[in-house]
Amino acid sequence: MDFEIKIDENFKLPKAVVYTDKLTEEVLRLKSFVLENSDNILLAYLGEKIKILNPSKIYRIYTEDSKVFAESIDEKFQIKKRIYQLEDDLKLKKFVRISNSELINLNLVDSFDLSYSGTISVIMKNKSRTFVSRRYVRKIKETLGI
């Protein structure tokens, strides 16, 4: 099988096209795989490489120097989408916005520290710490049911 990825800014949603001379079991398996997993992947860039990330392994997504990054268990990857787009894409995957520039994966949160006056400290399972901005404290409390 030959495989090709083309980057085209005119396509806002990925589109998969298979060219084949006949419908085979392999083509049907590929179709099933793509359709079943289309919302479970995220394209990320590491230098000249394109990586397919599983959102469940991403601790947080944040902006830095006008670029969007995803912090996974292993590394930091650049994402070509904007934070607001990722917020919509990952809402069902338990990602929640904690500031104008950051989303966190609630499945990978170790604890929330409410002792800070007016804000919340978030400790992730990889022991990194981030903070909920004052603007998003109410939303986080509602999400957590506190």
Side-chain angles (χ1 to χ4, degrees), residues 20-32:
T20 184
D21 62 341
K22 61 185 172 189
L23 195 58
T24 64
E25 228 9 79
E26 182 183 32
V27 172
L28 291 173
R29 280 195 312 272
L30 180 62
K31 175 188 172 194
S32 293

Side-chain angles (χ1 to χ4, degrees), residues 95-141:
F95 277 78
V96 64
R97 193 170 203 153
I98 62 167
S99 71
N100 282 339
S101 61
E102 189 170 359
L103 302 170
I104 59 169
N105 183 345
L106 287 175
N107 294 319
L108 296 177
V109 171
D110 185 55
S111 62
F112 292 93
D113 185 352
L114 304 174
S115 65
Y116 291 87
S117 178
T119 191
I120 299 171
S121 172
V122 183
I123 297 97
M124 305 302 290
K125 288 186 178 178
N126 67 352
K127 304 302 177 205
S128 67
R129 180 185 296 258
T130 188
F131 292 88
V132 177
S133 73
R134 292 179 191 272
R135 183 177 184 182
Y136 287 88
V137 167
R138 178 186 286 174
K139 180 181 177 186
I140 289 294
K141 285 184 174 183

